[in-house]
Amino acid sequence: MAKTTPGEFTRQVRQEGSKVTWPTPREAGITSLMVFIMVVIMSVFFLGIDFLLNAGVQSLLGFGE
């Protein structure tokens, strides 16, 4: 494999960077908001699952009497 000079490498990086489609500020904000909403939903879901499993284990082991 042929070695690339630092100048050639920099040119290739710039060329590949120009191919990237960057999101608009509005798209980035909407995506961030959707991620935050999903984090909240999944946190509540796993909190509920944890509560149910904890209650089940306590009842099976007799700690919940």
Side-chain angles (χ1 to χ4, degrees):
M1 194 166 176
K3 294 197 175 192
T4 306
T5 65
E8 179 68 18
F9 176 76
T10 303
R11 187 187 65 75
Q12 290 175 358
V13 168
R14 287 183 187 222
Q15 185 179 14
E16 290 298 320
S18 68
K19 295 178 184 177
V20 174
T21 303
W22 297 101
T24 64
R26 184 173 189 274
E27 290 172 334
I30 290 172
T31 303
S32 298
L33 180 63
M34 294 305 292
V35 168
F36 180 74
I37 289 170
M38 284 304 299
V39 165
V40 170
I41 290 170
M42 294 308 295
S43 296
V44 171
F45 172 75
F46 285 115
L47 178 68
I49 295 296
D50 183 56
F51 178 76
L52 291 174
L53 290 175
N54 187 26
V57 169
Q58 283 187 358
S59 68
L60 283 175
L61 296 178
F63 296 144
E65 295 177 2

